[in-house]
Amino acid sequence: MNMHLKRKIAFALLMGIVTTGIISFVLLAFNVGFSEKFAAAWLQSWVIGYVIVIPAILLIGPRLQALIDRMVQ
């Protein structure tokens, strides 16, 4: 695996952690509010979101990047 591909995968994994963490926290807080079960519910939501978003980033991301590259040229 070349260095460029490794960097893209590492970026996708880390960006997925950050974005799913923030989004799941905010949506759960907004829709359900804070309670004694918030942390457990947030972690569960975070894991589900992460499992869904990583394949999406890895599969859809390159196509979107190619589309953007065509649009800005």
Side-chain angles (χ1 to χ4, degrees):
M1 188 179 327
N2 68 35
M3 185 60 86
H4 182 68
L5 183 57
K6 286 181 184 179
R7 289 178 62 197
K8 283 190 166 211
I9 291 171
F11 177 79
L13 295 173
L14 291 174
M15 187 58 119
I17 288 171
V18 172
T19 56
T20 56
I22 292 168
I23 291 168
S24 61
F25 182 91
V26 170
L27 291 176
L28 191 62
F30 182 76
N31 289 315
V32 178
F34 295 101
S35 71
E36 66 280 348
K37 296 180 182 181
F38 182 84
W42 176 41
L43 290 175
Q44 183 179 16
S45 295
W46 195 348
V47 169
I48 292 168
Y50 187 76
V51 168
I52 292 168
V53 85
I54 292 305
I57 290 172
L58 293 173
L59 296 173
I60 297 169
R63 290 174 179 86
L64 286 176
Q65 187 64 57
L67 175 64
I68 291 167
D69 290 345
R70 286 192 304 273
M71 290 172 59
V72 298
Q73 286 184 5

